Amino acid sequence: MSKVFSAHAVSVDGYITGRDPGAGRGLGDGTTLFDWYFDGDTPSGVFDGFTLSGPSARIFDTLAGRVGAVVAGRNTYEDSDRFGGGSPHPMARLFVLSHRAAPEIGGTQTLITTGVEDAIAAAREAAGGKDVALMGGGVLTSALEADLVDEVILHQVPVLLGAGHRFFQELPKHVRLRLLEAVPAPGVTHLRYEVAR
């Protein structure tokens, strides 16, 4: 069965955006979280224009190759300018989880308003045996509460942003993680955790 995972670039103090994120502003003043996508000499085999360090390229392309569908929260969707009507992944269908209708949904996007369980179920079906990637702190929190997450991957960037959107939101209980892999790379440390059950 396919896995459900979240992989996010995050500051050491736990932010996935800087101050003032939003449509047309992306991550606000937190763009440094993605510098490692472009500061190496190894082209990504999945994403055109990404040139990563060797260790980061291996991690990034392995993860990207696993993805068959993406579930993104409404804030992530809006802050990312609706992914231009497509998907954040070049080969994966996008499912947008929202409690309200979106003003605009592209042809390769599907709006789900009935909860994270339905969004992940629809994404799994569309993924064709590949994994489902989650985007956004709210989606991850809801999926963790529903016990639907298999892995949490942090691309931890050595910066303290001090403000922005926090990655992890309040959870009703502890979630235990087991470290599967830690890979230091220029400008980022890749930490892959399994959710312990």
Side-chain angles (χ1 to χ4, degrees), residues 18-85:
R19 292 168 184 84
D20 200 29
R25 297 184 309 279
L27 299 176
D29 70 355
T31 58
T32 190
L33 293 175
F34 292 113
D35 287 351
W36 61 276
Y37 284 9
F38 309 103
D39 65 1
D41 57 6
T42 306
S44 169
V46 180
F47 282 77
D48 290 338
F50 286 22
T51 53
L52 308 104
S53 69
S56 287
R58 283 189 296 279
I59 295 292
F60 184 82
D61 282 354
T62 298
L63 286 174
R66 292 173 49 183
V67 177
V70 177
V71 176
R74 176 66 178 268
N75 287 341
T76 300
Y77 178 70
E78 295 293 348
D79 289 354
S80 301
D81 291 321
R82 302 177 182 143
F83 299 107

Side-chain angles (χ1 to χ4, degrees), residues 91-102:
M91 296 164 289
R93 187 169 183 83
L94 174 65
F95 293 81
V96 180
L97 178 61
S98 178
H99 298 294
R100 60 193 193 283

Side-chain angles (χ1 to χ4, degrees), residues 2 38 45-47 60-61 83 92 105 114 143 145 155 158 170 178:
S2 66
F38 309 103
V46 180
F47 282 77
F60 184 82
D61 282 354
F83 299 107
I105 289 287
T114 53
E145 287 175 352
H155 305 294
E170 187 173 332
R178 252 189 309 275

Side-chain angles (χ1 to χ4, degrees), residues 116-117 137-149 169-173 175:
V116 71
E117 293 91 345
V139 166
L140 176 60
T141 299
S142 296
L144 284 168
E145 287 175 352
D147 197 29
L148 294 172
V149 181
Q169 299 178 10
E170 187 173 332
L171 290 163
K173 62 181 180 179
V175 177

Side-chain angles (χ1 to χ4, degrees), residues 102-115:
E104 194 176 304
I105 289 287
T108 60
Q109 301 172 340
T110 301
L111 178 67
I112 305 285
T113 60
T114 53

